[in-house]
Amino acid sequence: MRQPIYNSGIPGILKSVNLACRPARVRRVARFGVHCLIVLLCTFASASDWSSSEKQLAQKIAAVTGPGAAALTIQNRSSLGKRDTEIVQNGMESALQEVGVRLVNNEQAATSIAVSLSENQTAYVWIAEVRQGTADSAVVMVSVPRTAATTRLPDSMPMTLVKTLLWSGNKPILDVAILEGDASPTRIAVLSPEDLSLYRMQAGKWQAEQKLSINHLKPWPLDLHGRLIPTRDHALDLYLPGVFCQTASAATLNCRESDDPWPLGIISTPSAGSSTAPLLAGFFTPRRNFFTGVIAPAIGKFSAAPKFYSAAFLPRDKYVLWLFAATDGKLHILDGIRDQISLTDFGSDIATVRTNCGAGWQVLATNADDQSGDSVRAYELPDRDPIAVSAPINLPGKISGLWTQANGDNAIAVAKNPETGSYEAYRLTVACN
Amino acid sequence: MSFRRKLLLVFSVSVALSVAAVAWLVQEVTRKAFEETENQRTSQLVGQFQREFNRQGEEVTRRVENIAASETVNRMGAALNGTSADSAEYFDLARSLAESHQLDFLELLDSRGMIVSSAQWAAKFGYPEPAFQILSPSAQQPAFLKLEQLQDSTALGLFTVRTSAGREHPVYVVGGRRLDKTFLSTLNVAPEMRVLLYQNRGETFSADLLVNASASSRDARAAEKLAPLVDAVRRSNQEMSTPVRWSSDRADEEIFHAIPLRGLGENRPLLGILLIGQSRRNYVQLSRRIKDAALLAGAGGIVLALFLSGWAAARVTRPIEELAGAAQSVAAGSWDTRVQVNGHDEVSQLANSFNQMTTELLAQKERLVQAERVAAWRELARRLAHELKNPLFPLQLTVENLIRARTQSPEQFEEVFRESSQTLLSELANLKGIIGRFSEFSKMPQPQLQRVNVNQVLRGVVQLFQAQLNVPGKPAIECRSETDESLGTIAADPELLHRAISNLVLNAMDAMPQGGKLTLLSRREPQKVVIEVADTGTGLTPEECARIFTPYYTNKQHGSGLGLAIVQSVVSDHGGTITVRSQPGKGTAFVIELPERPELLAEIAESRAQHAGEPVRN
Amino acid sequence: MKRTGLQWLAISVLLISALSANADTRPQYGGTLHITTSMSTSSLDPAEMPDSVGARNLVALIFDTLVIVDATGRPQSALAESWQSVAGDRGVEFHLRRNVKFHDGNPLTTEIVVSSLRKANPAWNVTAGGDVVSIESAGAIPELLQELSLSRNAIAKRDATGNPSGTGPFHIVDWQPGKRLVAAANEDYWNGRPFVDEIDIDMGRTFRDQMNALESGRADLAEVAPEQMHRAVSQRYELLRSSPIELIALKFAKEAASAQEKASRDALRLSIERQSMHNVLLQGAGQPSASLLPTWMSGYGFVFSTEPDRLRAQQLRDQIPGVPSFTLGYDNNDPLARLLAERVALNAKETGLSVQLNASATELRLVRIPLASCDPWSSLLVLNNQLGLPPIEAKAHSLDQLFASEQSMLASGRIIPLFHLPLAYAAGTNLRDWTVMPGGKLNVTGAWLKSSQP
C-alpha cells in the first residue's frame, strides 16, 4: 500500500508566514528564490533517475542501428517541461555516443532516430523510431517510471486572510489540531477517517509520532466530517458521526458509539492557556453530514436551530450572535430573539476567528468556486447583514472542513487538491492591513 | 313471307342504315375535332409545364439567394475569408439550412471551390466541387440542371448558385431541388397529364432511370415502351412526341411529349429527358360514349322503327289481310263474308268491290243452289218415275192379262190369276224395295264419334266379305290388306265407316266379275289417315268418275245409284274427303282421307270419363 | 472623501453579491438523480451483461468488486480490504472487508465471493479458506487486480432463481429490463450511504433524446456524443469526459482469404484520411488513431501513423485485378457512424476502391469498441479475444511485449483503428460532485443534488 507522501520541508509555511509580514518587493525576491531552489532540486533528482533509462534506450537503438552515424531528433509528447526535455536530449546524445552511435546532421545520415518522449498513465514512455534507408522503421521503447510528484507551490493571496499549509497527505483529513507551537507549529494531530495521527516537526519535516486507530462498527457517511478538540489535560476529544473518542493515555484511543453534541463555539480563556469552554453544542446526525439543529444550551428563546452544516458566532456586548449555515442553503442568524435569514454567497462551512482587526471577531466562510476550487473569505456583521472584510483566499480544491482552532485565533481549512490528489490542511489567519 | 313482314323488313333496314350512317358521321367529326383539340391542348400543357418548371427553378433560386444573403452564411464567409481556416464548425450548416429552406441539395463552397458543408453528402467536406469551374453565380443566371454525385447514386437536380454578398472571398451557395418523384408531384399539371423524368445515364435505355411521380408496378413493367421515344430524343437531342399504348385497350394510350434537359458546359450534355404524357383515356372514353350513344340511339331507332313500321304496316295491310281472309272464307264456302270498309282510299275501294263481289257470288250461289235443287228434284222425279215405271208396266200387263183371261178363258182364269197374282206381288215388292231404298238414303244418321282403329275396321270388312270373295264356281277375287300398323285411333263412327268401306268393297267386287285383286290399304299422312280401296276391275271413264258420287247414278244394271253417294255422305260427315282415280280396263281406286282430329279424341276421352260404364253410343 | 466613496461602493457591490447568491458547498442528502443512457441491457447480472461502459456504470451502482482501479490506474481496496501474492505470483489471496452486507441482508462471505468469481471466470481456480479468498491459475494470471476490477467480476449473490444481489451503494427498487432502473440508496453501504436517495436510469435513449431530456429537466445527467461536446459546453452544462477510451475502427469478420484480399485491406487502410474526419465529423473530439490502444494508455500509439498513404494504397490497388470492393456495415442508429462510413467510402473511392454502404453488412463493419479498462494489457487481451485472434503469448507484460502484441494484432488485417474517443457526460447545474474516471466510468456515488433537501 502506498504510504502518505510527507511534506519535504514546508516552504509554504515559510512563504505564507513570512511573506505576509514583509514588503511586496521582498516577497517577490523570496518567491523567486524558492522557485529556483525547487526547480534545481527537482532537476537534480530527475536527472539521476533518467540516465539509466537513457542508456537503456540508447542500447536498444544501437541494437537496431549498430555503430555508425545517425541523425537524432527528440520530440516531447509528454508532460515533461522544456528543461527536462533538454536534459533528456542531452542525456540521450551522450548515451548514444557511448554505445557507438555517432550523431550527425540529417543530410549526412542514412539512419534517422526519432525519439518521442511520451507517457501513459503510470510512466513515461520513450520511443525511438529508427529508420535506415528506405526500409520500414524499427520501433524500440523504454518505460520510465515517474519520479515523485513535484511539489507544487500553493498559491497565496496574502492580503488580510493568510493561509498556511500545515499538512498534506494522500489520506482524507477531517481536522487538524495544532498541539504545540502557535505561530510555527511543532506538533500537530491529524484526524483521518480511520485513525488519529500525531506528528512532530523534526529537521524541517513532519515525523510520525503516533497513530491511533479509530474503531467504529457502523460505516461512515460518504461525506464524513469530524472534529478534533484539544482539552485542558493535553488530551484530545474526537467527534465523529455517531462516535466519540478520547485519548486516554499516550498510546490509546477510546472510542464509543455516542450521539454527544459537538462543541460549536469555543472561546479560549487567556488564563487557561489552551483550555477551552464551549459556548454551544449541537447534535450531529450519525449517518449524514449535518447537525440536526438541536442545540444546547438554548439561544435565547430558541432551543433549536434549523438543520445546519456549520455554525459561527460573533460576541456582542450583551449577547452572542449565532450564524448557522443551514441545509436549506440560507444563513440563519439567531440573536436569541429573532431568526433572521440572510441570502448570502456563503458556502456550507463557516467558522469564527478572533483577531485584533476590525470588530475583533470575524466569520470565515467558504464560497463555492467551480473553476479552481473553493475560497474562504472573512466577514463581519456590523448590522445584520454580512459584509466582506477580506478578499477571498483560494484553496486548491473543494473545502471539506473549516473549523475554528481551539485558541480561536485561527481556523483550519481542509481541501482536496484535484491536481495532486492529496488532501491538504491549511491554517487560516486574518492579518490586519 | 307476309306482306307485313316484307314491309317491316324494308322499314327496319332503312332505319338501321340511316342510324349507322349518322353515328359514323358523328364519330368521324368528333375524332377530327378531338385530334385538333388534343394537339392544341398538348401544346398548352407542355407550355404550362415549362412555365411550371421555370417557376420551380425561380423558387430554388429565391431560396438559394435567401441562404446566400443570410447572416449565417455571411458570418461564415467572414470567418473563412478566403483562408483555410477551420471550417469544421460549419460542417453541418448546409444540412440545417437545406432543411429550413426546403432544399434537397445544398453545398457551401469556399472561394476555391472546396466543399465546406454539404447537405446531400455530408462526408464530402474538404473535397472540390467538380462543377465549380462552370458555375456562374451572377444574379441573372437562372436555375440549371446538374447531375449530382451522391454517396451511392447519382441524382439529377435543378440548381442555382449564388455567393455571399460583399466579400473578396465569397462563399458559394449551390442549392437545388432533386428532380425526383417529389419534385414531379409538386408540379402543377393538368389532371390528365403526368410527367416522367428519364435520367440520361448509361448507353442504353434502363427502366430504373425513369422517375415516375405515380409509379406503379405496371408502369415499371411497361416502361420499356418508352425506350424508342427516349432513344430517339437521345439521338436527335430535340423535342418530339409519340403515342404510347400501354395495353390492348385504346384508353391506355398516352401521347408523350419528350423534352431534352441539358446541363451546363460547352456541349451542354443531355442530362435528362422530361416526358410529358397526356392520357387519351378521356378522348377514347368520350369517343366510346358517343359510339355507345349512337348504338343505343340506333338500336332504339330500330326498335321504334320496327314498332312504327309494324304499326304502319298493320295500318296498311290490315284491310288487305281482311280482304285476303275474306277471300279465303269465300273460297272456303263462306259466301256471305264481308269486310269492313274504312275510308276512301284504294284499299277501301277494293274492300267495297270485294263486298260487292261476294254479294254477287252469294246471289249467284243462291240461284245455282235453287237451280241444282230443281235439277235434283227433276232427277229424283225422273229416277223415281223411271224406277216406278218399270214395275208398273208388268203390273199393267198382268192386270190386262187377267181381265182378258176372265173374259176370254174363264177356265184358265184361275191359273192365270194365280200366276198374275204372283207377278203382281213380286212387282209390288219391287216397288216397295225401291221406295225403301229412297227412304233409307233420306234417313242417313249423323255419325256417333268414338275412338276407332281404322285398321280394325278394315279387317272387319275383309272378314265380312271373305266368303263372298272366293265363292266356288265364280272367279276368285284375291284380297290383299296393306295396313299401316302405326296408325292410331281417330274420332269416327265405326258402323258408318264400316258401311262406307263395305259399299266400296261391294262396288269393287261388282267391278271384277271375272275375278281380280282387291286391295285395302291404310296409311298415315300428316294430321290425317288415308284409306284406299282399289280393284283391278273394268275401271271408269273420266266422265263416270266425275258423276260417280251423284246420288242415283249407276252404271250397273241393277244398281240404285245410292251406294257411293252414301259413302261420300259418310266421309263428308266425318270431315274427310273421298276421291277416285281410275283408268278404264285397269281398275279403280277410291281414296278416303279422314282427319285425325285429336281435339275430338280428347273430348271423347273426357266424355268417357264422365260417363264411365255407359255406352258411348245410345 | 474619495476613498470613503470607493469603500462604500465596494461594500455595496459585495453586499449585492452576497444577497444574490445561494451557494452551499457541503453535499446535501436526498433527491432522485435522473440519468439517461444509450445503454440498454436485459439483465443486471454482471456476469451476463455485455461489456460496455454503460454496463460498467450500471454494475458499479448495484455491485462492488474486490478491488477498484483509481484514476491513475492503480488498484485500490474495495470488498477486499487487503491482498497478497502467493505461490510465486501464480495467485493472490484476498482478505475480505468485514461487516459488509448484501442488499438482501445476508453478509458477504468468502463462499459467495468464490461462487461469483467462478461463474464469471470458469477457468480460474478460486478457493475459500476462512476469511481469505485465493485465486490461482495454471499460468500466471495477467494483471489479476485489473481483471478483478472489471464489472464482470463484480461480486453478486444469486438466489435460487438466479437473481443477483449486490453490495453496492444502491439497491434495486424497480427494474424494467432494457428500459428503466430505479435504485435506492443503500443505507448500510460499507463505503458510506450515497447522498441521493434514488437513482432513476432511463435506458436506450439516443444522444439527441438525452440532450432533450437534459434541457427539459427530465434528466440531471446525460451522455453526450463526443462530437457534440462543444455544444453542451456552450449550453452551460457541466461537461466531464473520460480519456479517449472508445475505439472506433473498421472490423473485418474474417481473416483475409487471399493475398489479394489482404492487399485490398491494406489499400483501404492506407487510403483513410483520419485527420479531416477528426476535425470535422468529430469536431476535434478524441484522437485519430491507427493503434488499438490510445497513446495515453500505451504511450506509443502515435508510432502507428494515422496519415493516409495514397501512393502506396494506389500501388497495392494496382496489383489487384478488377475493382476491389467492400460492403461496409455500420450502426444505423449512430449518426456519427454513418458519416464516418461515408467518409471512409469516399477516401477509398479516391484510391480506386469501391466501398458500398449497407448498415446490415457483417463482413466489414464500422464498430465502437469500449476498451476494457485503463490498463493496456487488460484492454489489449480483451480486444484480442473480441477479434477472435490467436491468444497472445507474452512471457512478461513488458512495454516491448505490449507493443509487439499490438503490432501483431494490427498485422492480422482484422481491424483498422480510426479514432479513440472519450466518453462524455453532461449534467445540469444542480448536480454536484460527480466524476468521470479516465476509463469512462461514471461515479455518481458521491454526487449530490443541489436543490434537494436533506
Side-chain angles (χ1 to χ4, degrees):
Chain A
M1 301 290 284
R2 190 174 174 135
Q3 295 300 313
I5 300 166
Y6 303 143
N7 296 324
S8 55
I10 313 177
I13 294 174
L14 296 173
K15 177 186 160 198
S16 299
V17 173
N18 296 335
L19 296 188
C21 306
R22 293 180 182 180
R25 190 175 174 182
V26 176
R27 289 201 298 268
R28 283 197 295 272
V29 171
R31 188 186 300 163
F32 178 75
V34 170
H35 272 288
C36 290
L37 179 64
I38 292 168
V39 167
L40 283 174
L41 285 171
C42 293
T43 302
F44 178 76
S46 301
S48 59
D49 288 338
W50 290 337
S51 60
S52 62
S53 300
E54 289 158 359
K55 286 177 183 171
Q56 191 184 354
L57 183 61
Q59 284 167 352
K60 287 188 172 183
I61 293 170
V64 175
T65 63
L72 173 69
T73 56
I74 291 187
Q75 185 183 7
N76 179 27
R77 292 173 174 269
S78 67
S79 58
L80 282 177
K82 188 180 175 184
R83 172 74 179 159
D84 291 330
T85 306
E86 288 171 0
I87 292 169
V88 172
Q89 180 160 7
N90 293 335
M92 278 304 302
E93 287 171 358
S94 303
L96 286 170
Q97 283 168 351
E98 282 177 19
V99 294
V101 177
R102 186 164 48 85
L103 298 178
V104 294
N105 292 332
N106 273 331
E107 295 77 19
Q108 299 169 325
T111 301
S112 64
I113 303 166
V115 173
S116 299
L117 306 181
S118 181
E119 64 186 340
N120 60 22
Q121 272 195 305
T122 55
Y124 294 110
V125 177
W126 295 352
I127 300 158
E129 293 174 81
V130 182
R131 185 180 292 275
Q132 292 177 299
T134 57
D136 288 340
S137 59
V139 178
V140 293
M141 59 187 76
V142 294
S143 179
V144 185
R146 289 182 191 275
T147 55
T150 305
T151 305
R152 292 172 182 270
L153 291 176
D155 296 329
S156 68
M157 296 285 287
M159 294 179 69
T160 56
L161 199 58
V162 179
K163 67 178 181 184
T164 306
L165 181 64
L166 268 181
W167 171 258
S168 83
N170 287 337
K171 286 166 59 179
I173 304 169
L174 302 179
D175 197 5
V176 175
I178 299 170
L179 303 179
E180 295 174 12
D182 194 8
S184 298
T186 56
R187 188 162 179 258
I188 59 172
V190 178
L191 177 61
S192 295
E194 302 300 333
D195 54 50
L196 173 69
S197 303
L198 301 174
Y199 296 97
R200 185 175 292 280
M201 177 65 76
Q202 288 179 347
K205 287 187 178 181
W206 289 113
Q207 299 293 341
E209 199 176 58
Q210 198 171 16
K211 180 182 282 189
L212 303 169
S213 294
I214 300 171
N215 296 319
H216 61 102
L217 294 175
K218 293 180 179 173
W220 293 133
L222 202 58
D223 182 30
L224 179 62
H225 294 267
R227 191 76 209 272
L228 183 60
I229 298 176
T231 55
R232 285 183 188 175
D233 48 358
H234 302 287
L236 286 166
D237 288 349
L238 279 64
Y239 292 91
L240 289 153
V243 174
F244 174 74
C245 303
Q246 198 167 33
T247 52
S249 64
T252 58
L253 183 65
N254 294 328
C255 293
R256 58 182 166 86
E257 289 200 29
S258 165
D259 61 348
D260 289 352
W262 296 17
L264 291 173
I266 303 168
I267 300 177
S268 64
T269 54
S271 57
S274 61
S275 63
T276 55
L279 286 175
L280 194 69
F283 289 86
F284 200 88
T285 51
R287 308 293 284 274
R288 298 287 190 272
N289 60 349
F290 53 87
F291 289 89
T292 60
V294 179
I295 50 177
I299 305 172
K301 67 175 186 179
F302 295 104
S303 60
K307 293 176 191 172
F308 60 94
Y309 292 122
S310 60
F313 64 94
L314 291 172
R316 301 295 201 213
D317 291 342
K318 295 180 181 176
Y319 65 98
V320 175
L321 191 67
W322 280 94
L323 291 78
F324 296 98
T327 57
D328 59 7
K330 300 181 178 71
L331 181 70
H332 290 252
I333 304 170
L334 274 69
D335 58 5
I337 299 172
R338 288 180 301 170
D339 177 3
Q340 184 185 350
I341 296 171
S342 177
L343 293 173
T344 69
D345 61 349
F346 281 10
S348 297
D349 291 283
I350 55 177
T352 304
V353 288
R354 182 178 56 193
T355 68
N356 296 323
C357 311
W361 295 89
Q362 286 84 31
V363 173
L364 303 184
T366 56
N367 191 348
D369 183 353
D370 290 340
Q371 298 302 317
S372 59
D374 290 356
S375 62
V376 179
R377 199 167 198 178
Y379 294 85
E380 286 188 356
L381 273 81
D383 192 3
R384 292 301 172 97
D385 284 318
I387 300 292
V389 292
S390 78
I393 185 167
N394 291 327
L395 272 80
K398 194 169 181 57
I399 296 172
S400 58
L402 180 67
W403 302 111
T404 307
Q405 272 288 292
N407 61 13
D409 293 344
N410 53 64
I412 297 293
V414 177
K416 184 180 180 184
N417 189 328
E419 293 184 16
T420 62
S422 62
Y423 296 86
E424 297 171 353
Y426 292 88
R427 185 170 67 164
L428 302 179
T429 54
V430 178
C432 307
N433 283 332
Chain B
M1 186 183 285
S2 67
F3 176 67
R4 179 184 288 194
R5 285 180 183 169
K6 286 179 184 173
L7 202 60
L8 199 60
L9 186 63
V10 169
F11 280 167
S12 303
V13 169
S14 303
V15 169
L17 287 176
S18 303
V19 169
V22 169
W24 176 81
L25 195 63
V26 169
Q27 195 169 6
E28 279 301 298
V29 171
T30 308
R31 186 177 61 79
K32 286 188 177 175
F34 259 99
E35 280 179 358
E36 287 177 11
T37 309
E38 206 169 52
N39 289 337
Q40 290 175 357
R41 189 163 178 73
T42 303
S43 303
Q44 288 174 355
L45 292 175
V46 168
Q48 179 192 344
F49 171 77
Q50 285 175 331
R51 284 192 297 278
E52 180 66 19
F53 195 79
N54 292 336
R55 191 186 67 75
Q56 292 284 357
E58 288 165 5
E59 181 62 25
V60 169
T61 303
R62 189 181 63 77
R63 291 177 188 176
V64 170
E65 283 175 346
N66 286 344
I67 294 172
S70 69
E71 189 185 339
T72 311
V73 171
N74 280 296
R75 203 164 49 233
M76 170 186 159
L80 297 179
N81 197 23
T83 66
S84 58
D86 183 14
S87 58
E89 64 178 292
Y90 305 106
F91 148 73
D92 207 23
L93 180 60
R95 187 183 57 79
S96 57
L97 286 173
E99 278 179 8
S100 60
H101 289 78
Q102 295 179 318
L103 289 173
D104 298 321
F105 304 116
L106 184 65
E107 280 182 349
L108 304 175
L109 316 180
D110 66 14
S111 57
R112 296 166 299 144
M114 307 300 281
I115 296 170
V116 175
S117 179
S118 171
Q120 60 267 30
W121 191 356
K124 213 179 172 187
F125 61 86
Y127 279 80
E129 164 57 47
F132 182 67
Q133 297 302 326
I134 58 173
L135 294 179
S136 168
S138 73
Q140 288 74 34
Q141 170 73 41
F144 56 90
L145 291 167
K146 187 164 83 78
L147 270 181
E148 186 68 16
Q149 287 289 329
L150 302 177
Q151 165 64 34
D152 44 11
S153 64
T154 304
L156 186 59
L158 187 61
F159 283 83
T160 299
V161 58
R162 292 290 185 268
T163 57
S164 59
R167 301 282 170 193
E168 188 183 353
H169 301 288
V171 173
Y172 286 74
V173 181
V174 186
R177 287 198 61 194
R178 185 194 285 260
L179 293 188
D180 59 0
K181 279 186 183 179
T182 310
F183 179 88
L184 296 181
S185 61
T186 57
L187 292 173
N188 185 18
V189 295
E192 68 269 29
M193 280 183 75
R194 63 172 179 149
V195 183
L196 288 77
L197 173 69
Y198 183 78
Q199 302 172 75
N200 187 32
R201 298 201 301 272
E203 296 300 318
T204 57
F205 176 87
S206 168
D208 296 336
L209 298 174
L210 198 63
V211 180
N212 187 352
S214 58
S216 65
S217 57
R218 192 199 70 151
D219 291 337
R221 284 198 304 274
E224 292 293 336
K225 294 192 174 181
L226 290 170
L229 176 62
V230 169
D231 289 338
V233 174
R234 280 154 60 119
R235 283 193 300 274
S236 66
N237 217 359
Q238 288 182 341
E239 294 187 19
M240 54 179 60
S241 297
T242 187
V244 174
R245 187 179 290 186
W246 299 107
S247 70
S248 57
D249 184 3
R250 278 188 61 232
D252 264 353
E253 187 173 274
E254 278 180 287
I255 293 179
F256 274 94
H257 187 82
I259 304 172
L261 303 175
R262 300 186 187 89
L264 291 180
E266 286 184 6
N267 298 326
R268 299 209 61 199
L270 182 67
L271 301 180
I273 299 169
L274 266 176
L275 298 162
I276 305 171
Q278 188 189 358
S279 172
R280 299 194 73 225
R281 180 171 293 278
N282 286 349
Y283 159 68
V284 172
Q285 285 178 344
L286 185 58
S287 174
R288 281 179 180 166
R289 277 199 289 273
I290 290 172
K291 189 186 285 182
D292 293 344
L295 286 174
L296 191 64
I302 288 170
V303 170
L304 189 62
L306 285 172
F307 176 74
L308 290 175
S309 58
W311 176 77
R315 290 259 316 174
V316 172
T317 59
R318 191 182 303 122
I320 295 172
E321 285 175 348
E322 285 178 0
L323 280 171
Q328 283 175 349
S329 296
V330 169
S334 300
W335 296 78
D336 57 347
T337 303
R338 291 288 186 275
V339 292
Q340 193 175 355
V341 178
N342 294 322
H344 303 282
D345 56 5
E346 291 82 353
V347 178
S348 300
Q349 289 173 5
L350 179 60
N352 206 16
S353 300
F354 179 85
N355 286 342
Q356 287 178 357
M357 181 188 77
T358 54
T359 304
E360 186 61 27
L361 280 174
L362 194 60
Q364 285 183 355
K365 183 189 172 189
E366 286 292 323
R367 285 193 296 272
L368 184 61
V369 166
Q370 286 172 356
E372 280 188 349
R373 192 177 298 155
V374 170
W377 278 113
R378 282 179 182 164
E379 179 65 19
L380 180 61
R382 192 188 63 81
R383 291 291 302 178
L384 192 58
H386 174 74
E387 291 287 332
L388 293 177
K389 190 168 75 177
N390 288 339
L392 282 177
F393 185 68
L395 284 176
Q396 186 180 2
L397 288 176
T398 303
V399 171
E400 286 175 354
N401 194 33
L402 276 175
I403 296 169
R404 217 173 25 246
R406 177 117 183 209
T407 58
Q408 294 174 355
S409 24
E411 70 289 352
Q412 293 181 332
F413 177 74
E414 277 299 326
E415 186 180 358
V416 171
F417 179 76
R418 196 174 49 244
E419 291 176 356
S420 295
S421 301
Q422 289 179 350
T423 303
L424 285 173
L425 286 172
S426 173
E427 289 303 323
L428 284 173
N430 191 18
L431 278 173
K432 192 179 176 181
I434 289 169
I435 291 166
R437 285 199 296 274
F438 275 92
S439 177
E440 186 183 8
F441 178 68
S442 65
K443 289 181 182 174
M444 279 296 287
Q446 282 299 308
Q448 298 297 315
L449 298 180
Q450 55 185 284
R451 301 174 75 90
V452 172
N453 188 324
V454 173
N455 291 339
Q456 242 175 9
V457 173
L458 288 177
R459 283 192 286 272
V461 171
V462 170
Q463 192 177 4
L464 180 64
F465 290 97
Q466 193 66 44
Q468 297 179 35
L469 292 175
N470 296 308
V471 177
K474 281 189 177 181
I477 294 173
E478 181 191 355
C479 181
R480 194 165 59 90
S481 179
E482 297 177 8
T483 54
D484 182 354
E485 294 305 321
S486 68
L487 288 180
T489 55
I490 60 169
D493 186 328
E495 289 183 9
L496 288 179
L497 195 58
H498 186 273
R499 187 172 167 184
I501 294 170
S502 297
N503 279 351
L504 291 176
V505 170
L506 281 173
N507 270 351
M509 289 169 65
D510 289 343
M512 293 183 293
Q514 302 304 321
K517 188 165 75 177
L518 173 65
T519 303
L520 276 78
L521 179 145
S522 70
R523 68 172 182 273
R524 184 171 189 176
E525 288 188 358
Q527 297 181 345
K528 61 187 177 183
V529 171
V530 178
I531 303 166
E532 191 172 315
V533 179
D535 63 62
T536 57
T538 55
L540 296 173
T541 63
E543 293 76 20
E544 289 173 331
C545 286
R547 298 188 61 188
I548 198 161
F549 294 111
T550 304
Y552 307 108
Y553 173 79
T554 180
N555 57 353
K556 293 183 289 188
Q557 191 175 357
H558 300 291
S560 65
L562 290 175
L564 289 174
I566 290 170
V567 171
Q568 187 186 32
S569 175
V570 169
V571 171
S572 177
D573 287 345
H574 280 80
T577 61
I578 181 167
T579 56
V580 61
R581 66 174 188 271
S582 177
Q583 284 185 340
K586 289 190 177 178
T588 304
F590 289 91
V591 178
I592 299 170
E593 295 181 347
L594 295 173
E596 288 182 336
R597 295 199 285 190
E599 70 280 2
L600 289 177
L601 288 173
E603 284 179 13
I604 292 165
E606 192 176 345
S607 172
R608 273 196 170 181
Q610 288 175 353
H611 303 90
E614 294 181 10
V616 175
R617 188 170 184 175
N618 293 330
Chain C
M1 181 69 189
K2 187 179 177 182
R3 182 172 179 174
T4 309
L6 285 174
Q7 281 178 337
W8 276 111
L9 181 64
I11 289 169
S12 301
V13 168
L14 289 171
L15 187 60
I16 289 167
S17 67
L19 291 171
S20 62
N22 178 12
D24 290 335
T25 52
R26 191 175 293 190
Q28 296 176 349
Y29 282 84
T32 299
L33 172 58
H34 296 273
I35 300 177
T36 62
T37 176
S38 57
M39 192 274 297
S40 179
T41 178
S42 57
S43 168
L44 282 179
D45 193 324
E48 294 174 359
M49 288 173 76
D51 185 39
S52 68
V53 175
R56 294 173 204 168
N57 289 336
L58 213 56
V59 169
L61 293 177
I62 314 294
F63 305 93
D64 287 310
T65 50
L66 288 182
V67 293
I68 56 173
V69 176
D70 67 10
T72 61
R74 287 172 300 201
Q76 302 288 343
S77 68
L79 289 183
E81 214 162 22
S82 63
W83 55 86
Q84 60 192 40
S85 299
V86 293
D89 286 344
R90 297 176 76 85
V92 182
E93 281 184 357
F94 294 91
H95 297 270
L96 296 187
R97 187 178 295 276
R98 294 179 182 180
N99 299 325
V100 176
K101 288 183 178 178
F102 284 97
H103 298 154
D104 60 5
N106 290 307
L108 175 74
T109 62
T110 53
E111 289 75 19
I112 294 173
V113 173
V114 167
S115 168
S116 180
L117 290 176
R118 280 178 180 165
K119 180 176 172 65
N121 308 280
W124 287 6
N125 181 17
V126 189
T127 55
D131 292 340
V132 174
V133 173
S134 300
I135 303 176
E136 293 181 30
S137 68
I141 300 171
E143 308 298 333
L144 178 62
L145 296 180
Q146 299 283 352
E147 281 275 319
L148 286 172
S149 71
L150 300 182
S151 59
R152 70 184 176 86
N153 288 322
I155 304 304
K157 175 180 168 296
R158 295 170 181 84
D159 60 16
T161 58
N163 288 328
S165 177
T167 59
F170 293 90
H171 65 87
I172 300 166
V173 172
D174 181 23
W175 167 234
Q176 298 168 23
K179 292 180 180 175
R180 187 175 179 225
L181 170 69
V182 180
N186 179 2
E187 296 291 343
D188 299 321
Y189 186 51
W190 60 269
N191 201 23
R193 189 253 197 212
F195 295 114
V196 295
D197 290 339
E198 240 179 25
I199 287 189
D200 186 344
I201 301 174
D202 189 12
M203 290 185 277
R205 298 293 172 192
T206 63
F207 287 124
R208 188 174 191 148
D209 288 346
Q210 294 191 51
M211 283 308 290
N212 288 340
L214 196 62
E215 285 168 14
S216 65
R218 285 181 285 113
D220 302 303
L221 180 61
E223 296 168 343
V224 180
E227 68 274 15
Q228 298 292 327
M229 285 193 298
H230 65 288
R231 290 192 183 176
V233 171
S234 69
Q235 289 175 318
R236 299 187 177 278
Y237 292 117
E238 185 180 4
L239 187 100
L240 294 183
R241 60 180 163 182
S242 69
S243 299
I245 190 71
E246 189 177 48
L247 171 65
I248 293 188
L250 300 180
K251 182 180 166 190
F252 292 90
K254 296 174 186 170
E255 286 189 29
S258 63
Q260 282 186 358
E261 193 179 341
K262 183 76 169 60
S264 300
R265 292 185 184 185
D266 285 341
L268 176 64
R269 176 175 57 81
L270 293 168
S271 67
I272 296 171
E273 205 257 304
R274 295 174 177 83
Q275 193 58 48
S276 59
M277 293 189 219
H278 175 248
N279 292 342
V280 178
L281 299 183
L282 299 179
Q283 294 288 299
Q287 292 293 328
S289 179
S291 62
L292 297 172
L293 300 177
T295 298
W296 68 268
M297 194 186 287
S298 70
Y300 58 72
F302 61 89
V303 171
F304 300 95
S305 174
T306 58
E307 292 298 314
D309 188 347
R310 295 213 171 87
L311 187 64
R312 175 71 184 136
Q314 189 67 48
Q315 288 171 351
L316 287 167
R317 185 253 168 278
D318 291 343
Q319 295 170 10
I320 307 161
V323 179
S325 64
F326 301 93
T327 303
L328 176 57
Y330 55 90
D331 181 359
N332 215 10
N333 297 319
D334 184 353
L336 177 63
R338 163 85 193 181
L339 285 171
L340 290 172
E342 279 187 14
R343 188 71 177 185
V344 167
L346 200 58
N347 288 160
K349 191 177 175 187
E350 277 193 294
T351 314
L353 304 171
S354 169
V355 175
Q356 302 294 322
L357 300 188
N358 180 353
S360 58
T362 54
E363 281 298 304
L364 171 60
R365 283 191 75 79
L366 190 141
V367 292
R368 288 174 181 258
I369 305 174
L371 296 179
S373 76
C374 295
D375 178 66
W377 269 108
S378 294
S379 295
L380 200 68
L381 290 170
V382 172
L383 195 55
N384 194 66
N385 282 340
Q386 288 174 344
L387 292 175
L389 295 173
I392 294 173
E393 297 294 338
K395 291 177 183 173
H397 284 172
S398 67
L399 186 66
D400 291 325
Q401 288 278 4
L402 185 73
F403 177 71
S405 300
E406 184 171 349
Q407 216 173 16
S408 165
M409 288 170 68
L410 288 171
S412 72
R414 290 286 299 279
I415 190 165
I416 302 175
L418 299 177
F419 304 98
H420 283 107
L421 290 183
L423 297 167
Y425 304 87
T429 51
N430 61 333
L431 184 64
R432 304 292 174 87
D433 290 350
W434 59 288
T435 56
V436 175
M437 302 289 279
K441 194 168 162 186
L442 188 63
N443 185 0
V444 291
T445 305
W448 53 281
L449 290 162
K450 176 73 177 69
S451 57
S452 61
Q453 294 298 314

